[in-house]
Amino acid sequence: MDLNDKALVERGRYLTLAGDCAACHTTAGGKPFAGGLAFELPFGKIYSANITPDITSGIGSWNGAEFVRAMRHGVGKSGEDLYPAFPYTSYAKLSDADMVAIFAYLKTLAPVGDPAPQNQLAFPFNQRWSLRAWKLLFLNTDPLEADTGKSAQWNRGAYLVQGLAHCGECHTPRNILFARKSSEELSGGTVDGWRAWNITPDMKSGIGMWTDAAIAHYLSQGWAEGHGAATGSMKQAIDLSLGKLEAGDIDAIVTYLRSIPSVENDDPARIPSTSSMARARSWSSGDPDASVGKSLFESACASCHGWDGSGQATRRQSLIGDRNVSDPGGTNLIRLLLEGASSEDRDPGQSMPSFAAAYDDRELAALANYVIAHFGGKQGVVTADTVKSARASGI
């Protein structure tokens, strides 16, 4: 196979886009695909690899077979076992042909001679040989086979969700060995401090109440009427990957997600089943911090989001029906207040400033609890210590 074939390289470019490779292999402000992005795990820190074609720091000395082995078996060029933070458990479902196409595209990138930092893992997790036992338990190396009883659109959706787009890596809870819980597939998880919500068709805790159009709009545009906007890791996935996919692939993902088993959980962030849209309400608690939160919202938030949460400049700014403000613990909301958000093209309508320097921990906790009460209709449990911990750890 000619790796320089233009059609193969172009196909690989699209597959790399759909696989969201740039998100994990590029640091903020860093060179594309040069790696070095840190992943905070319960047992230490792992850095993404440089996958540019640099000979010494990247994959310039690799051949196609070695690349396929890494994608399917989680084994590096020198035979070392790779950590599953690199989602080869999902990528293993790809065809060899698609893996080679991705490799062909990566070989066209500009080489970057920056080696990734050394992983910082506690014993015994720093012993790569232990991953062999993990793989025996949790890695299926067989590519995904088409279901002849399903439509081509469904099969394409399954290939994207299960394999290339690796949705389960974020949206599925994990066991104590960091493997996905197959019985709770796509029912929600936590990655890098961000909560990924339940995306099964469950009517109470999943996306069963969403229309097909709403799901498609959310995946392609990053927001949906009555459901809020994507934040954190999901926003990044949409900005860098999902939002750039062909409409047919988005529709295929929707078709597949509609068909998977519903998984109900007791997530306190669920939107009340009586309505797909939370209703704004006034804070009624006697907590003195309520007035602080209200004052901060009026001065810092209402100008964009509107007092009723409908969004002032664009409907994307609406908070109505957003699970981030319906979560009493405010996990994603705290991150958003501390870090802010921006779009790839710096569109003001898609950006939010960081309030980390403007307000202290008590003020941000009060603001978060006010927003949760006002738009989620729930009692927020965010404390100054919660914000302090998130601020200190970066997550």
PDB file of all heavy atoms in Angstrom, residues 170-200:
ATOM      1  N   CYS A 170     -15.346   8.232  27.757  1.00  0.00           N
ATOM      2  CA  CYS A 170     -15.717   9.295  28.690  1.00  0.00           C
ATOM      3  C   CYS A 170     -17.084   9.054  29.321  1.00  0.00           C
ATOM      4  O   CYS A 170     -17.301   9.381  30.488  1.00  0.00           O
ATOM      5  CB  CYS A 170     -15.728  10.649  27.990  1.00  0.00           C
ATOM      6  SG  CYS A 170     -14.097  11.257  27.503  1.00  0.00           S
ATOM      7  N   HIS A 171     -18.008   8.511  28.550  1.00  0.00           N
ATOM      8  CA  HIS A 171     -19.398   8.426  28.996  1.00  0.00           C
ATOM      9  C   HIS A 171     -19.755   7.117  29.684  1.00  0.00           C
ATOM     10  O   HIS A 171     -20.942   6.845  29.878  1.00  0.00           O
ATOM     11  CB  HIS A 171     -20.333   8.645  27.795  1.00  0.00           C
ATOM     12  CG  HIS A 171     -20.376  10.063  27.318  1.00  0.00           C
ATOM     13  ND1 HIS A 171     -21.193  11.017  27.882  1.00  0.00           N
ATOM     14  CD2 HIS A 171     -19.686  10.695  26.330  1.00  0.00           C
ATOM     15  CE1 HIS A 171     -21.023  12.163  27.262  1.00  0.00           C
ATOM     16  NE2 HIS A 171     -20.108  12.006  26.308  1.00  0.00           N
ATOM     17  N   THR A 172     -18.773   6.310  30.050  1.00  0.00           N
ATOM     18  CA  THR A 172     -19.032   5.049  30.743  1.00  0.00           C
ATOM     19  C   THR A 172     -18.272   5.030  32.071  1.00  0.00           C
ATOM     20  O   THR A 172     -17.078   5.346  32.099  1.00  0.00           O
ATOM     21  CB  THR A 172     -18.593   3.852  29.886  1.00  0.00           C
ATOM     22  OG1 THR A 172     -19.291   3.894  28.633  1.00  0.00           O
ATOM     23  CG2 THR A 172     -18.905   2.535  30.583  1.00  0.00           C
ATOM     24  N   PRO A 173     -18.938   4.657  33.161  1.00  0.00           N
ATOM     25  CA  PRO A 173     -18.228   4.576  34.444  1.00  0.00           C
ATOM     26  C   PRO A 173     -17.193   3.454  34.414  1.00  0.00           C
ATOM     27  O   PRO A 173     -17.297   2.519  33.625  1.00  0.00           O
ATOM     28  CB  PRO A 173     -19.342   4.283  35.453  1.00  0.00           C
ATOM     29  CG  PRO A 173     -20.438   3.664  34.650  1.00  0.00           C
ATOM     30  CD  PRO A 173     -20.358   4.296  33.290  1.00  0.00           C
ATOM     31  N   ARG A 174     -16.193   3.565  35.270  1.00  0.00           N
ATOM     32  CA  ARG A 174     -15.109   2.586  35.309  1.00  0.00           C
ATOM     33  C   ARG A 174     -15.052   1.876  36.655  1.00  0.00           C
ATOM     34  O   ARG A 174     -15.484   2.402  37.677  1.00  0.00           O
ATOM     35  CB  ARG A 174     -13.774   3.287  35.015  1.00  0.00           C
ATOM     36  CG  ARG A 174     -13.699   3.837  33.601  1.00  0.00           C
ATOM     37  CD  ARG A 174     -12.386   4.511  33.297  1.00  0.00           C
ATOM     38  NE  ARG A 174     -12.370   5.026  31.939  1.00  0.00           N
ATOM     39  CZ  ARG A 174     -11.980   4.335  30.864  1.00  0.00           C
ATOM     40  NH1 ARG A 174     -11.559   3.091  31.000  1.00  0.00           N
ATOM     41  NH2 ARG A 174     -12.005   4.878  29.661  1.00  0.00           N
ATOM     42  N   ASN A 175     -14.482   0.665  36.615  1.00  0.00           N
ATOM     43  CA  ASN A 175     -14.322  -0.098  37.843  1.00  0.00           C
ATOM     44  C   ASN A 175     -12.992   0.253  38.511  1.00  0.00           C
ATOM     45  O   ASN A 175     -12.264   1.134  38.045  1.00  0.00           O
ATOM     46  CB  ASN A 175     -14.434  -1.609  37.556  1.00  0.00           C
ATOM     47  CG  ASN A 175     -13.373  -2.102  36.583  1.00  0.00           C
ATOM     48  OD1 ASN A 175     -12.276  -1.545  36.476  1.00  0.00           O
ATOM     49  ND2 ASN A 175     -13.683  -3.179  35.870  1.00  0.00           N
ATOM     50  N   ILE A 176     -12.650  -0.448  39.569  1.00  0.00           N
ATOM     51  CA  ILE A 176     -11.447  -0.107  40.325  1.00  0.00           C
ATOM     52  C   ILE A 176     -10.169  -0.374  39.535  1.00  0.00           C
ATOM     53  O   ILE A 176      -9.096   0.119  39.896  1.00  0.00           O
ATOM     54  CB  ILE A 176     -11.390  -0.868  41.658  1.00  0.00           C
ATOM     55  CG1 ILE A 176     -11.414  -2.385  41.417  1.00  0.00           C
ATOM     56  CG2 ILE A 176     -12.541  -0.447  42.565  1.00  0.00           C
ATOM     57  CD1 ILE A 176     -11.209  -3.191  42.687  1.00  0.00           C
ATOM     58  N   LEU A 177     -10.275  -1.143  38.459  1.00  0.00           N
ATOM     59  CA  LEU A 177      -9.111  -1.416  37.613  1.00  0.00           C
ATOM     60  C   LEU A 177      -9.064  -0.494  36.398  1.00  0.00           C
ATOM     61  O   LEU A 177      -8.315  -0.736  35.456  1.00  0.00           O
ATOM     62  CB  LEU A 177      -9.106  -2.885  37.175  1.00  0.00           C
ATOM     63  CG  LEU A 177      -8.937  -3.908  38.299  1.00  0.00           C
ATOM     64  CD1 LEU A 177      -9.000  -5.329  37.743  1.00  0.00           C
ATOM     65  CD2 LEU A 177      -7.627  -3.689  39.043  1.00  0.00           C
ATOM     66  N   PHE A 178      -9.883   0.548  36.414  1.00  0.00           N
ATOM     67  CA  PHE A 178      -9.920   1.556  35.358  1.00  0.00           C
ATOM     68  C   PHE A 178     -10.444   1.012  34.026  1.00  0.00           C
ATOM     69  O   PHE A 178     -10.190   1.560  32.968  1.00  0.00           O
ATOM     70  CB  PHE A 178      -8.529   2.170  35.147  1.00  0.00           C
ATOM     71  CG  PHE A 178      -8.563   3.512  34.441  1.00  0.00           C
ATOM     72  CD1 PHE A 178      -9.167   4.609  35.036  1.00  0.00           C
ATOM     73  CD2 PHE A 178      -8.006   3.674  33.186  1.00  0.00           C
ATOM     74  CE1 PHE A 178      -9.211   5.835  34.392  1.00  0.00           C
ATOM     75  CE2 PHE A 178      -8.048   4.901  32.523  1.00  0.00           C
ATOM     76  CZ  PHE A 178      -8.657   5.976  33.145  1.00  0.00           C
ATOM     77  N   ALA A 179     -11.186  -0.086  34.088  1.00  0.00           N
ATOM     78  CA  ALA A 179     -11.826  -0.627  32.894  1.00  0.00           C
ATOM     79  C   ALA A 179     -13.282  -0.180  32.863  1.00  0.00           C
ATOM     80  O   ALA A 179     -13.905   0.025  33.914  1.00  0.00           O
ATOM     81  CB  ALA A 179     -11.752  -2.149  32.895  1.00  0.00           C
ATOM     82  N   ARG A 180     -13.825  -0.009  31.692  1.00  0.00           N
ATOM     83  CA  ARG A 180     -15.213   0.413  31.569  1.00  0.00           C
ATOM     84  C   ARG A 180     -16.164  -0.673  32.059  1.00  0.00           C
ATOM     85  O   ARG A 180     -15.942  -1.856  31.829  1.00  0.00           O
ATOM     86  CB  ARG A 180     -15.539   0.764  30.112  1.00  0.00           C
ATOM     87  CG  ARG A 180     -14.702   1.883  29.544  1.00  0.00           C
ATOM     88  CD  ARG A 180     -15.371   2.541  28.347  1.00  0.00           C
ATOM     89  NE  ARG A 180     -15.795   1.604  27.333  1.00  0.00           N
ATOM     90  CZ  ARG A 180     -15.077   1.252  26.276  1.00  0.00           C
ATOM     91  NH1 ARG A 180     -13.861   1.766  26.101  1.00  0.00           N
ATOM     92  NH2 ARG A 180     -15.538   0.420  25.377  1.00  0.00           N
ATOM     93  N   LYS A 181     -17.225  -0.254  32.713  1.00  0.00           N
ATOM     94  CA  LYS A 181     -18.249  -1.185  33.173  1.00  0.00           C
ATOM     95  C   LYS A 181     -19.202  -1.458  32.013  1.00  0.00           C
ATOM     96  O   LYS A 181     -20.051  -0.620  31.687  1.00  0.00           O
ATOM     97  CB  LYS A 181     -19.009  -0.595  34.365  1.00  0.00           C
ATOM     98  CG  LYS A 181     -18.153  -0.379  35.602  1.00  0.00           C
ATOM     99  CD  LYS A 181     -18.998   0.201  36.743  1.00  0.00           C
ATOM    100  CE  LYS A 181     -18.167   0.414  37.993  1.00  0.00           C
ATOM    101  NZ  LYS A 181     -18.967   0.984  39.108  1.00  0.00           N
ATOM    102  N   SER A 182     -19.053  -2.602  31.399  1.00  0.00           N
ATOM    103  CA  SER A 182     -19.821  -2.900  30.188  1.00  0.00           C
ATOM    104  C   SER A 182     -21.324  -2.921  30.430  1.00  0.00           C
ATOM    105  O   SER A 182     -22.113  -2.606  29.529  1.00  0.00           O
ATOM    106  CB  SER A 182     -19.370  -4.241  29.600  1.00  0.00           C
ATOM    107  OG  SER A 182     -19.517  -5.276  30.545  1.00  0.00           O
ATOM    108  N   SER A 183     -21.746  -3.268  31.636  1.00  0.00           N
ATOM    109  CA  SER A 183     -23.174  -3.314  31.936  1.00  0.00           C
ATOM    110  C   SER A 183     -23.783  -1.923  32.068  1.00  0.00           C
ATOM    111  O   SER A 183     -25.002  -1.778  32.096  1.00  0.00           O
ATOM    112  CB  SER A 183     -23.417  -4.104  33.223  1.00  0.00           C
ATOM    113  OG  SER A 183     -22.788  -3.467  34.321  1.00  0.00           O
ATOM    114  N   GLU A 184     -22.930  -0.905  32.155  1.00  0.00           N
ATOM    115  CA  GLU A 184     -23.403   0.477  32.297  1.00  0.00           C
ATOM    116  C   GLU A 184     -22.878   1.348  31.159  1.00  0.00           C
ATOM    117  O   GLU A 184     -22.660   2.540  31.323  1.00  0.00           O
ATOM    118  CB  GLU A 184     -22.957   1.038  33.644  1.00  0.00           C
ATOM    119  CG  GLU A 184     -23.466   0.252  34.833  1.00  0.00           C
ATOM    120  CD  GLU A 184     -22.935   0.773  36.155  1.00  0.00           C
ATOM    121  OE1 GLU A 184     -22.884   2.004  36.339  1.00  0.00           O
ATOM    122  OE2 GLU A 184     -22.549  -0.058  37.010  1.00  0.00           O
ATOM    123  N   GLU A 185     -22.703   0.752  30.001  1.00  0.00           N
ATOM    124  CA  GLU A 185     -22.134   1.446  28.852  1.00  0.00           C
ATOM    125  C   GLU A 185     -22.897   2.727  28.525  1.00  0.00           C
ATOM    126  O   GLU A 185     -24.130   2.733  28.407  1.00  0.00           O
ATOM    127  CB  GLU A 185     -22.134   0.516  27.630  1.00  0.00           C
ATOM    128  CG  GLU A 185     -21.359   1.025  26.429  1.00  0.00           C
ATOM    129  CD  GLU A 185     -19.837   0.983  26.638  1.00  0.00           C
ATOM    130  OE1 GLU A 185     -19.368   0.281  27.544  1.00  0.00           O
ATOM    131  OE2 GLU A 185     -19.136   1.661  25.858  1.00  0.00           O
ATOM    132  N   LEU A 186     -22.138   3.810  28.410  1.00  0.00           N
ATOM    133  CA  LEU A 186     -22.638   5.131  28.008  1.00  0.00           C
ATOM    134  C   LEU A 186     -23.618   5.751  29.002  1.00  0.00           C
ATOM    135  O   LEU A 186     -24.371   6.660  28.655  1.00  0.00           O
ATOM    136  CB  LEU A 186     -23.276   5.062  26.614  1.00  0.00           C
ATOM    137  CG  LEU A 186     -22.342   4.616  25.485  1.00  0.00           C
ATOM    138  CD1 LEU A 186     -23.103   4.541  24.166  1.00  0.00           C
ATOM    139  CD2 LEU A 186     -21.144   5.539  25.354  1.00  0.00           C
ATOM    140  N   SER A 187     -23.587   5.286  30.252  1.00  0.00           N
ATOM    141  CA  SER A 187     -24.505   5.825  31.262  1.00  0.00           C
ATOM    142  C   SER A 187     -23.889   6.954  32.070  1.00  0.00           C
ATOM    143  O   SER A 187     -24.468   7.401  33.061  1.00  0.00           O
ATOM    144  CB  SER A 187     -24.960   4.706  32.210  1.00  0.00           C
ATOM    145  OG  SER A 187     -23.872   4.211  32.975  1.00  0.00           O
ATOM    146  N   GLY A 188     -22.715   7.436  31.674  1.00  0.00           N
ATOM    147  CA  GLY A 188     -22.102   8.578  32.335  1.00  0.00           C
ATOM    148  C   GLY A 188     -20.807   8.230  33.036  1.00  0.00           C
ATOM    149  O   GLY A 188     -20.643   7.123  33.546  1.00  0.00           O
ATOM    150  N   GLY A 189     -19.871   9.160  33.026  1.00  0.00           N
ATOM    151  CA  GLY A 189     -18.586   8.950  33.682  1.00  0.00           C
ATOM    152  C   GLY A 189     -17.935  10.278  34.025  1.00  0.00           C
ATOM    153  O   GLY A 189     -18.523  11.346  33.810  1.00  0.00           O
ATOM    154  N   THR A 190     -16.733  10.210  34.557  1.00  0.00           N
ATOM    155  CA  THR A 190     -15.973  11.410  34.897  1.00  0.00           C
ATOM    156  C   THR A 190     -14.566  11.280  34.343  1.00  0.00           C
ATOM    157  O   THR A 190     -13.901  10.265  34.565  1.00  0.00           O
ATOM    158  CB  THR A 190     -15.898  11.615  36.420  1.00  0.00           C
ATOM    159  OG1 THR A 190     -17.227  11.730  36.950  1.00  0.00           O
ATOM    160  CG2 THR A 190     -15.114  12.871  36.762  1.00  0.00           C
ATOM    161  N   VAL A 191     -14.138  12.275  33.586  1.00  0.00           N
ATOM    162  CA  VAL A 191     -12.809  12.266  32.994  1.00  0.00           C
ATOM    163  C   VAL A 191     -12.149  13.614  33.217  1.00  0.00           C
ATOM    164  O   VAL A 191     -12.714  14.658  32.876  1.00  0.00           O
ATOM    165  CB  VAL A 191     -12.871  11.960  31.477  1.00  0.00           C
ATOM    166  CG1 VAL A 191     -11.481  12.041  30.869  1.00  0.00           C
ATOM    167  CG2 VAL A 191     -13.476  10.589  31.242  1.00  0.00           C
ATOM    168  N   ASP A 192     -10.951  13.584  33.805  1.00  0.00           N
ATOM    169  CA  ASP A 192     -10.190  14.809  34.017  1.00  0.00           C
ATOM    170  C   ASP A 192     -10.982  15.863  34.785  1.00  0.00           C
ATOM    171  O   ASP A 192     -10.862  17.063  34.537  1.00  0.00           O
ATOM    172  CB  ASP A 192      -9.731  15.387  32.673  1.00  0.00           C
ATOM    173  CG  ASP A 192      -8.207  15.429  32.569  1.00  0.00           C
ATOM    174  OD1 ASP A 192      -7.540  14.845  33.431  1.00  0.00           O
ATOM    175  OD2 ASP A 192      -7.702  16.074  31.636  1.00  0.00           O
ATOM    176  N   GLY A 193     -11.818  15.405  35.713  1.00  0.00           N
ATOM    177  CA  GLY A 193     -12.580  16.329  36.528  1.00  0.00           C
ATOM    178  C   GLY A 193     -13.874  16.822  35.915  1.00  0.00           C
ATOM    179  O   GLY A 193     -14.633  17.548  36.565  1.00  0.00           O
ATOM    180  N   TRP A 194     -14.162  16.448  34.666  1.00  0.00           N
ATOM    181  CA  TRP A 194     -15.414  16.842  34.017  1.00  0.00           C
ATOM    182  C   TRP A 194     -16.375  15.659  34.016  1.00  0.00           C
ATOM    183  O   TRP A 194     -15.981  14.529  33.771  1.00  0.00           O
ATOM    184  CB  TRP A 194     -15.178  17.263  32.565  1.00  0.00           C
ATOM    185  CG  TRP A 194     -14.464  18.559  32.410  1.00  0.00           C
ATOM    186  CD1 TRP A 194     -13.128  18.747  32.227  1.00  0.00           C
ATOM    187  CD2 TRP A 194     -15.043  19.870  32.427  1.00  0.00           C
ATOM    188  NE1 TRP A 194     -12.838  20.088  32.120  1.00  0.00           N
ATOM    189  CE2 TRP A 194     -13.989  20.797  32.236  1.00  0.00           C
ATOM    190  CE3 TRP A 194     -16.345  20.346  32.585  1.00  0.00           C
ATOM    191  CZ2 TRP A 194     -14.211  22.180  32.203  1.00  0.00           C
ATOM    192  CZ3 TRP A 194     -16.557  21.720  32.554  1.00  0.00           C
ATOM    193  CH2 TRP A 194     -15.498  22.618  32.364  1.00  0.00           C
ATOM    194  N   ARG A 195     -17.632  15.941  34.262  1.00  0.00           N
ATOM    195  CA  ARG A 195     -18.643  14.888  34.203  1.00  0.00           C
ATOM    196  C   ARG A 195     -19.158  14.741  32.772  1.00  0.00           C
ATOM    197  O   ARG A 195     -19.489  15.721  32.111  1.00  0.00           O
ATOM    198  CB  ARG A 195     -19.814  15.202  35.133  1.00  0.00           C
ATOM    199  CG  ARG A 195     -19.448  15.217  36.609  1.00  0.00           C
ATOM    200  CD  ARG A 195     -20.676  15.121  37.472  1.00  0.00           C
ATOM    201  NE  ARG A 195     -21.399  13.877  37.201  1.00  0.00           N
ATOM    202  CZ  ARG A 195     -22.642  13.637  37.616  1.00  0.00           C
ATOM    203  NH1 ARG A 195     -23.289  14.542  38.318  1.00  0.00           N
ATOM    204  NH2 ARG A 195     -23.226  12.506  37.333  1.00  0.00           N
ATOM    205  N   ALA A 196     -19.183  13.500  32.299  1.00  0.00           N
ATOM    206  CA  ALA A 196     -19.767  13.174  30.993  1.00  0.00           C
ATOM    207  C   ALA A 196     -21.101  12.509  31.284  1.00  0.00           C
ATOM    208  O   ALA A 196     -21.152  11.495  31.990  1.00  0.00           O
ATOM    209  CB  ALA A 196     -18.844  12.231  30.214  1.00  0.00           C
ATOM    210  N   TRP A 197     -22.170  13.045  30.748  1.00  0.00           N
ATOM    211  CA  TRP A 197     -23.506  12.628  31.151  1.00  0.00           C
ATOM    212  C   TRP A 197     -23.953  11.313  30.515  1.00  0.00           C
ATOM    213  O   TRP A 197     -23.350  10.822  29.552  1.00  0.00           O
ATOM    214  CB  TRP A 197     -24.508  13.733  30.825  1.00  0.00           C
ATOM    215  CG  TRP A 197     -24.120  15.073  31.345  1.00  0.00           C
ATOM    216  CD1 TRP A 197     -23.774  16.173  30.617  1.00  0.00           C
ATOM    217  CD2 TRP A 197     -24.008  15.476  32.724  1.00  0.00           C
ATOM    218  NE1 TRP A 197     -23.464  17.227  31.436  1.00  0.00           N
ATOM    219  CE2 TRP A 197     -23.591  16.829  32.741  1.00  0.00           C
ATOM    220  CE3 TRP A 197     -24.218  14.823  33.939  1.00  0.00           C
ATOM    221  CZ2 TRP A 197     -23.394  17.542  33.916  1.00  0.00           C
ATOM    222  CZ3 TRP A 197     -24.016  15.526  35.121  1.00  0.00           C
ATOM    223  CH2 TRP A 197     -23.614  16.864  35.101  1.00  0.00           C
ATOM    224  N   ASN A 198     -25.025  10.787  31.037  1.00  0.00           N
ATOM    225  CA  ASN A 198     -25.668   9.580  30.517  1.00  0.00           C
ATOM    226  C   ASN A 198     -26.226   9.890  29.126  1.00  0.00           C
ATOM    227  O   ASN A 198     -27.040  10.798  28.957  1.00  0.00           O
ATOM    228  CB  ASN A 198     -26.803   9.183  31.476  1.00  0.00           C
ATOM    229  CG  ASN A 198     -27.492   7.882  31.102  1.00  0.00           C
ATOM    230  OD1 ASN A 198     -27.461   7.450  29.958  1.00  0.00           O
ATOM    231  ND2 ASN A 198     -28.128   7.265  32.084  1.00  0.00           N
ATOM    232  N   ILE A 199     -25.786   9.137  28.110  1.00  0.00           N
ATOM    233  CA  ILE A 199     -26.282   9.370  26.748  1.00  0.00           C
ATOM    234  C   ILE A 199     -27.026   8.151  26.210  1.00  0.00           C
ATOM    235  O   ILE A 199     -27.166   7.975  24.998  1.00  0.00           O
ATOM    236  CB  ILE A 199     -25.150   9.781  25.785  1.00  0.00           C
ATOM    237  CG1 ILE A 199     -24.003   8.755  25.777  1.00  0.00           C
ATOM    238  CG2 ILE A 199     -24.630  11.164  26.136  1.00  0.00           C
ATOM    239  CD1 ILE A 199     -22.950   9.029  24.703  1.00  0.00           C
ATOM    240  N   THR A 200     -27.523   7.294  27.123  1.00  0.00           N
ATOM    241  CA  THR A 200     -28.404   6.208  26.699  1.00  0.00           C
ATOM    242  C   THR A 200     -29.810   6.785  26.520  1.00  0.00           C
ATOM    243  O   THR A 200     -30.088   7.908  26.956  1.00  0.00           O
ATOM    244  CB  THR A 200     -28.443   5.072  27.738  1.00  0.00           C
ATOM    245  OG1 THR A 200     -29.204   5.489  28.889  1.00  0.00           O
ATOM    246  CG2 THR A 200     -27.028   4.660  28.153  1.00  0.00           C
TER     247      THR A 200
END
